[in-house]
Amino acid sequence: MAAGNLNFVDLQDRVNSSFLNTTADSLLSTSAKAWLNDALSAICSDIDGIEDSASQVTVAGLRFYNLHPDLISVRAVTWDGSYLQPRSFEDTGDFYSTGNTYCDRFCILERNPAVIMLGPLPPNAAATLTVYFFREPNPLVQDADIPEIPNRFRPCLADYASSMAYSALGDLGAANAAMARFMGGKERFEAWINGNKTTKPSVVRNLTEAWW
């Protein structure tokens, strides 16, 4: 694929090109894919995660709805176009009222998989529930898979994998140089993320916190 849209196999080729006709060939054939996925996790390790959203239509009388399986944190929730307020599990007694014409609060009840609870009980009229959240990046599996970061930051994933390969071969100088390139790209990526966050109301609750 052209350099304008680097995918998984393009990144593997970048790593492999540094070690052609060397003893690293067999090592790379089994490890480069894992190292590239490690790189994707590493470059996203100091940000909130991949920003995403998902919508579904609520059903009258149903208060529980599944969320994304790789959810890290919930940023905001809307129902019928209005933002809902987060509640702790201990503060959900009024979620069970009936005969309401609106929902105005939510609670996350489970971590794996995450489930959202709406309150009060959704009325008869169906409405759209939208959850804005951060999640883990999708793993790279197929050759055509594209990393979920802007294209200009993808080459540093190959730098990370190359660093791992150099380190495994005992070339610590080259390993450190490649890792320095990766860390430089990671810093630029984080700066880009901080400058391009959306302006939705921030009610982030991490799923590692005891709030359900």
Side-chain angles (χ1 to χ4, degrees):
M1 182 170 289
N5 197 19
L6 295 172
N7 63 16
F8 193 22
V9 73
D10 295 324
L11 294 171
Q12 293 175 62
D13 289 343
R14 284 190 174 222
V15 178
N16 292 335
S17 66
S18 300
F19 301 94
L20 292 176
N21 301 317
T22 72
T23 56
D25 284 349
S26 60
L27 174 69
L28 287 170
S29 66
T30 57
S31 301
K33 293 183 178 182
W35 286 330
L36 287 167
N37 274 290
D38 289 345
L40 186 59
S41 295
I43 201 171
C44 295
S45 63
D46 292 327
I47 63 172
D48 294 318
I50 302 298
E51 191 171 353
D52 205 345
S53 66
S55 298
Q56 55 187 306
V57 176
T58 56
V59 177
L62 180 63
R63 72 177 84 251
F64 302 105
Y65 297 88
N66 291 329
L67 299 177
H68 195 285
D70 295 322
L71 187 75
I72 297 174
S73 62
V74 173
R75 186 173 190 187
V77 178
T78 64
W79 183 81
D80 199 23
S82 297
Y83 284 97
L84 307 187
Q85 295 300 312
R87 296 287 186 88
S88 66
F89 178 72
E90 292 77 13
D91 193 26
T92 58
D94 57 356
F95 277 43
Y96 292 90
S97 60
T98 59
N100 304 287
T101 59
Y102 64 89
C103 291
D104 64 5
R105 65 210 76 163
F106 73 93
C107 177
I108 303 298
L109 293 179
E110 298 180 24
R111 182 179 178 185
N112 187 26
V115 174
I116 190 171
M117 175 184 182
L118 301 180
L121 196 65
N124 291 333
T128 299
L129 170 69
T130 300
V131 179
Y132 301 91
F133 57 92
F134 295 102
R135 60 171 172 77
E136 299 287 349
N138 290 327
L140 303 172
V141 179
Q142 304 299 323
D143 284 347
D145 287 350
I146 296 176
E148 292 183 292
I149 61 175
N151 188 67
R152 63 181 178 275
F153 301 113
R154 293 174 196 163
C156 68
L157 303 181
D159 291 328
Y160 180 101
S162 294
S163 177
M164 296 298 103
Y166 281 123
S167 180
L169 293 171
D171 191 341
L172 298 184
N176 291 337
M179 184 56 68
R181 293 193 299 273
F182 168 76
M183 293 304 296
K186 183 173 184 289
E187 291 178 2
R188 292 190 296 275
F189 175 60
E190 291 170 5
W192 180 85
I193 285 289
N194 290 331
N196 288 275
K197 287 184 177 178
T198 64
T199 57
K200 296 181 183 67
S202 181
V203 292
V204 172
R205 299 295 183 91
N206 292 325
L207 294 188
T208 54
E209 298 173 5
W211 70 296
W212 55 85

